Amino acid sequence: MKEAYIAAKERWARKQSGLAKPTVRSSDRLPPGQRQVENFPVLDLGVKPEVAPDRWQLKIGGHVENPVTLSWDAFLALPQSKDVSDFHCVTTWSQFDMAWEGVSFFTLTDLVRPKDSATHVFFKSYDGYSTNNPLDVMMDDDVLIAHSWNGAPLPREHGGPARVIVPKRYAWKGAKWIREITFLDRDILGFWEVRGYSNTADPWTDDRFS
Ligand SMILES: Nc1nc2c(c(=O)[nH]1)N[C@H]1C(S)=C(S)[C@@H](COP(=O)(O)O)O[C@H]1N2
Ligand SMILES: [Mo]
């Protein structure tokens, strides 16, 4: 875990500095059972919460040295990152080359400093949704809290003001309308994970249901 984390952070640092070579993408980018789409479907629980920036807060706490509650301005004042990644939804659509901009998960962990006891991360959203990931899945160079998509503010239906993007997992592992990020010393299942979706959610192994 430590070595993988250091390697990921080095890749991330190269991206941040602008020195990373553009990612060479394999021609074989479609995970098993997926089809490529050009549109961006909307999936939610039937509510698209309207969160005005002056009311928006992101609370980050749990097993960390420095818990914080970020206002919208404080969130935007953090170092910003851009990245391009593919997006895989468990309902079998994938969209390639999604351009995200926001705050890298590494930037947030540098700020809150997870304790050694932190092994998992739990996410809560303004619509009541939740999801969970192991900390080592989050500690990757392509994971970010995005406020922009393809050069424009993230539309509300896609999770604006800000959503979590975890490209190497099915999209339900990325919480839209993110409100709270909690570092834990154990795993707690999220909304879909308690309803039979896979807890690991790896698109490359067709890992959809538990
Ligand atoms: N807050 C919240 N986040 C969520 C969801 C949701 O219902 N509420 N749905 C998840 C699911 S199942 C998917 S596939 C993606 C869909 O993102 P999109 O609507 O931007 O395509 O968001 C994920 N994050
Ligand atoms: Mo989904």
Side-chain angles (χ1 to χ4, degrees):
M1 145 86 186
K2 274 279 187 260
E3 268 168 44
Y5 159 73
I6 290 166
K9 192 148 190 185
E10 280 175 359
R11 289 196 303 276
W12 173 74
R14 278 197 296 277
K15 275 186 189 171
Q16 287 292 96
S17 67
L19 295 177
K21 297 194 194 101
T23 313
V24 180
R25 294 192 185 269
S26 146
S27 56
D28 191 13
R29 286 163 65 183
L30 199 60
Q34 296 290 110
R35 74 200 145 81
Q36 190 187 351
V37 300
E38 303 292 339
N39 62 328
F40 190 4
V42 172
L43 287 109
D44 55 48
L45 304 177
V47 256
K48 297 171 182 54
E50 170 112 57
V51 193
D54 62 350
R55 205 172 64 77
W56 186 90
Q57 286 192 325
L58 177 58
K59 187 177 169 195
I60 313 178
H63 286 243
V64 298
E65 303 289 350
N66 179 40
V68 294
T69 299
L70 298 170
S71 66
W72 185 244
D73 288 345
F75 178 68
L76 292 185
L78 292 171
Q80 301 288 305
S81 305
K82 288 184 183 180
D83 203 28
V84 176
S85 54
D86 295 346
F87 190 95
H88 308 297
C89 176
V90 71
T91 58
T92 75
W93 56 271
S94 292
Q95 197 188 142
F96 293 164
D97 295 322
M98 305 285 249
W100 303 107
E101 183 173 358
V103 176
S104 285
F105 199 74
F106 277 127
T107 301
L108 293 183
T109 53
D110 285 348
L111 177 68
V112 301
R113 301 194 309 277
K115 295 181 178 170
D116 287 343
S117 53
T119 55
H120 290 82
V121 189
F122 192 76
F123 304 85
K124 283 189 202 163
S125 298
Y126 281 96
D127 62 340
Y129 187 79
S130 58
T131 188
N132 58 299
N133 278 303
L135 181 56
D136 60 354
V137 166
M138 296 303 294
M139 298 290 232
D140 209 339
D141 61 294
D142 54 4
V143 174
L144 78 171
I145 318 299
H147 55 66
S148 296
W149 169 66
N150 289 356
L154 186 63
R156 171 155 67 115
E157 65 267 27
H158 289 300
R163 76 179 295 168
V164 184
I165 294 293
V166 187
K168 294 190 182 75
R169 292 293 176 262
Y170 285 120
W172 88 78
K173 288 289 188 182
K176 310 199 304 190
W177 309 291
I178 185 67
R179 177 168 70 86
E180 201 171 321
I181 301 178
T182 309
F183 292 77
L184 301 170
D185 61 357
R186 71 207 140 101
D187 201 9
I188 293 182
L189 299 180
F191 184 90
W192 286 121
E193 290 81 6
V194 298
R195 288 169 175 79
Y197 277 52
S198 156
N199 194 25
T200 36
D202 172 15
W204 293 98
T205 56
D206 214 343
D207 173 22
R208 298 169 196 264
F209 308 105
S210 60

